Amino acid sequence: MSSTAARLSHLQRLEAESIHIIREVVAEFRKPVMLYSIGKDSSVMLHLARKAFAPGPLPFPLMHIDTTWKFHEMIAFRDATARDLGLELLVHTNPDGLRDGVNPITHGSSVHTDVMKTQALKQALTKHGFDAAFGGARRDEEASRAKERVFSFRTATHQWDPRNQRPELWSIYNGRITTGESIRAFPLSNWTELDVWQYILQEDIPVVPLYFAKPRPVIRFNGMWVMVDDDRLPIPEGTQPEMKRVRFRTLGCYPLTGAVESSATTVAEVVAEMLNSRTSERAGRAIDHDQAGSMELKKRDGYF
Amino acid sequence: MADDGRLFDAAATEAVLSGRRGQRDLLRFLTCGSVDDGKSTLIGRILYDSNLIFEDQLKTLERDSKARGNAGGALDLSLLVDGLQAEREQGITIDVAWRYFTTDRRKFIVADTPGHEQYTRNMATGASNAELAVLLVDARQGVLVQTRRHATIARLMGLRHVVLAINKMDLVAYDRDVFDAIRADFGAFAAAIGLPEPVCIPVSALMGDNVVNPSAATPWYDGPALLPYLETVEVAPESPDAAFRFPVQWVNRPNLDFRGYCGTVASGTVRPGDRVVIEPSGRETTVARIVDFNGDRAQAAAGESVTLTLADAVDVARGDLIVPAGDRPQVADQMAAHLIWMAEEPLLPERGYLMKIGHTTVPVQVTEIKHRLDVNTQNKLAAKRLELNEVAFCNLSLGRPVPFDPYEDNRATGGFILIDRTTNHTVGCGMIAFGLRRAGNIHWQALEVDKAARAHQKHQKPGVLWFTGLSGAGKSTVANLVEKRLMALGHHSYLLDGDNVRHGLNRDLGFTPEDRVENIRRVAEVSRLFVDAGLIVLVSFISPYRAERRLAREKVADGEFLEVFVDAPLAVCEDRDPKGLYRKARAGEIKNFTGIDSAYEPPEAPELHLRTDQASPDDLAEEVIQALRARGLLRG
């Protein structure tokens, strides 16, 4: 019964590794949750989780941290996905931030992200008593993530202690925690942006239409082309939104997400465009540039 | 790269999008070498010459090269992958930094393992998931101690492809003799330790010679440049000759009609209809179906995550191993393995740890360190403990038999991690060499007169009262009073006292951490035998470490162990100082004295907590008797 099979392709190996990680978390933790951010990585992670437990249903709920500033198309996509696939979806918004009117425009990306994402996430994890949370982060996204573990340990107050992370050997993950501690698990750790798109293409996974180019109303805001998604975006006197043929490489809060000019209207065209792209994915995100080493600091504080 | 500056030409793009649909091969490799060897520059050079640097990254690189580069203002390619230095200064534990790049032939995952002091641990971690290692040497230095260390770890971790990149050839004038001498030197060493034959490539990461493009400066070299080699080297599937192994990861029971066993095929292939055995139970059955998201499959191969169903309703749980009926693994509870210790706290033989192998977690002890391996000199040394980054060949004893294969035959079923029971940290890893005895051949003697019969004869339930606390806390005082009362009540007991046992059974032991662990292990074993004899055992030992007390607890059945924390503040104990020991310890006449220069770890959840500074010994003894009565150990 020795194997004469050809080597698996890179997507087959990445898929198998991710499914292995997702199942291991479910086997070792009491109450996992999948953080669902509606973007392409979340779409892939959700697809992998459905594969991991077929023919059964997902043995955990999805949770979306809603800052109230996501693109409207994202929210519509989120609700349709949960409905069509029969998934349990939890949505949490930081009530304190909502009360104080925290927003990305007057408070800036740093405060907004901290209050409406990081603090909101910690509130929601504590409220539900989740001891493991899946996230769609990839190591190739940003330098500080290059050394992140697949199982990332958090203290009872959701702090990430960089001195206290465990070596990970082979595919054996140590999931032992004491009461109150939790982990963030990253099944897509070894995927790159290109892998994600190739997999979406191969598996025909639905994604938010914002990833595909079409004429959209945009203005220059914080040095980026930002889409006018509703009337909360301040438009300077004397300027008009321009209609440009754009799409988004990443999705987040719309005033913080830069659009790129593109003509790619299908997944295949997106992949072709990316194969020849000369800029990295996060160049279009305001959040990573607002202070030096910003991702590192956010992570310690509990951001993904 | 296409001529017009695009990363992928039309044909390559078409290949990704059309028929091949991403069917690219993946190679995971490890780079070994210190900063001085030019490792970062080499990786940076691969990325740069392959045009894999994005424009925004290039701008950052140009700026950083002027500000802090070591290339005199020219592009310092090492900055593309460094950035770890600052984190090291902040004390952040980085065992491996992962890098990703894709050419039109392969996707690569690179494990970059930084650190000098932590090198063994980091390299082992990176190597555990790598198929190939690139070892760097400085052409001016040749094979150094650290080169031999890298090769030794690569051998230990079972890497089957090794590239020796002989770097800085520009600094030796691309001298063929230098290259040949290093190649011969390293080749001999590799052969001696059983490492696969290395592929040697003369490179200059700084100048770009033989990294991505062949160099005109080395006309005498007719082999491939490094990246073309990595793109084309034929990497055999992991454990190509190994039999089918399927560690059961999760049992999927969505409804009454479906019961599937999820896992990743560790090696070999499986098809519906194959006769299989469930280890360690040994039950035999047949694979009914292989199920995935899209339905039924005709076969599953190594590396694939699938779900199996079985023809019979046999008992299968997470941690079991499904194997071919005709090609079964060893099943044993004693084995010999190579260990790499990864924690600041040393490994102590006889201390209990947890082993996670496959999806099974089982208690384990190192019963003997056969020898420690000096990874720099390959000398085998005697050792009583293992420090961070040390490597040793050890005998292990497990809490129950587990199925496994030797690591040489199968990395997936022969490798394990060790977990500290108190901190839950991963403290080591191991590669199984062989089973020491087949547990199946050793049967417990089924004795007709058993523990229950002996206890019944004495009209009591046996158990252990484990008194722990600082010297002078009052352990022996209370234990003595309890034993007198048990005697008066007509019960059968035995008191094991720390000082007395050290005069006899344990007189060969001192007070080092290793000896303290062994001291407690022996007492725990004696307690177990006495409990088996039907006695109520009173143990009065400082027993400062939680791990050893837990070990003692696990020697006996649930409910038979009562941890009694005899508690008084250190100042009170020191004031009492019944044997004058604190005075000597303070004067430095006694070393490793608990509470002074050796730690005491108080119990976290003792069955009884006695505050001897707040109640009389008589009252406390009565409290113990009441507790025994409440638990049904005493008559009436």
Side-chain angles (χ1 to χ4, degrees), chain B residues 214 253 286 401 428 461 607 617:
Chain B
R253 277 167 301 178
T286 302
K461 281 191 189 168
E607 274 77 5

Side-chain angles (χ1 to χ4, degrees), chain A residues 210-238:
Chain A
L210 291 161
Y211 285 114
F212 306 116
K214 80 171 193 187
R216 294 187 168 94
V218 292
I219 59 164
R220 288 306 281 181
F221 184 75
N222 287 338
M224 300 181 299
W225 285 112
V226 167
M227 178 173 152
V228 184
D229 198 45
D230 57 31
D231 56 14
R232 291 180 292 178
L233 193 68
I235 297 173
E237 291 278 336

Side-chain angles (χ1 to χ4, degrees), chain B residues 311-597:
Chain B
D312 308 290
V314 291
D315 197 18
V316 183
R318 169 172 162 88
D320 287 350
L321 195 63
I322 301 179
V323 305
D327 203 341
R328 297 171 61 173
Q330 296 185 46
V331 178
D333 61 2
Q334 311 239 354
M335 54 189 64
H338 293 96
L339 292 190
I340 298 177
W341 195 246
M342 301 180 155
E344 300 282 349
E345 282 281 301
L347 171 140
L348 302 181
E350 309 297 352
R351 170 164 279 193
Y353 298 93
L354 293 173
M355 168 193 282
K356 188 169 180 189
I357 175 166
H359 301 298
T360 301
T361 304
V362 57
V364 64
Q365 284 179 267
V366 173
T367 50
E368 188 185 356
I369 300 176
K370 307 286 284 184
H371 63 254
R372 180 166 83 74
L373 179 70
D374 184 326
V375 291
N376 294 328
T377 64
Q378 280 65 52
N379 288 334
K380 294 174 179 177
L381 310 169
K384 284 193 162 177
R385 57 204 277 174
L386 283 187
E387 304 287 347
L388 176 64
N389 289 316
E390 289 186 343
V391 177
F393 189 60
C394 300
N395 288 348
L396 307 176
S397 174
L398 281 59
R400 60 175 186 275
V402 298
F404 67 91
D405 295 293
Y407 186 78
E408 296 266 292
D409 299 344
N410 198 325
R411 279 171 97 177
T413 52
F416 59 86
I417 60 170
L418 294 175
I419 300 169
D420 185 281
R421 309 189 66 150
T422 307
T423 63
N424 287 331
H425 285 169
T426 301
V427 289
C429 73
M431 286 68 65
I432 298 174
F434 46 81
L436 286 174
R437 288 175 291 177
R438 288 215 175 210
N441 297 338
I442 304 163
H443 300 282
W444 283 93
Q445 289 295 320
L447 303 171
E448 304 220 339
V449 179
D450 62 4
K451 177 165 77 177
R454 294 187 201 101
H456 182 74
Q457 183 194 40
K458 299 177 181 67
H459 305 289
Q460 65 188 31
K461 281 191 189 168
V464 178
L465 279 165
W466 192 281
F467 294 85
T468 174
L470 294 172
S471 178
K475 296 181 297 297
S476 297
T477 307
V478 178
N480 270 310
L481 287 171
V482 171
E483 196 180 26
K484 279 184 195 165
R485 285 176 199 224
L486 288 172
M487 174 71 85
L489 291 166
H491 285 287
H492 300 260
S493 62
Y494 194 83
L495 173 61
L496 289 165
D497 183 85
D499 289 347
N500 296 346
V501 171
R502 279 192 176 275
H503 285 304
L505 177 65
N506 289 354
R507 71 173 169 203
D508 57 326
L509 300 178
F511 291 88
T512 62
E514 294 89 336
D515 281 359
R516 282 179 187 272
V517 171
E518 174 62 10
N519 183 33
I520 298 305
R521 189 195 67 83
R522 290 185 195 173
V523 171
E525 285 292 348
V526 171
S527 306
R528 188 182 65 76
L529 292 173
F530 283 3
V531 165
D532 201 50
L535 298 176
I536 296 172
V537 189
L538 298 92
V539 179
S540 172
F541 274 66
I542 296 173
S543 47
Y545 304 134
R546 283 188 198 114
E548 279 65 58
R549 297 195 299 264
R550 175 158 36 201
L551 191 120
R553 182 184 289 272
E554 285 168 0
K555 294 276 181 207
V556 295
D558 281 349
E560 286 182 346
F561 190 91
L562 277 74
E563 190 170 7
V564 184
F565 181 23
V566 184
D567 188 11
L570 178 63
V572 174
C573 298
E574 196 166 350
D575 195 41
R576 288 177 188 157
D577 206 6
K579 299 167 198 160
L581 297 175
Y582 282 100
R583 191 181 47 73
K584 287 188 186 165
R586 288 288 183 199
E589 292 166 34
I590 306 177
K591 291 283 174 216
N592 299 323
F593 193 75
T594 304
I596 304 298
D597 56 350

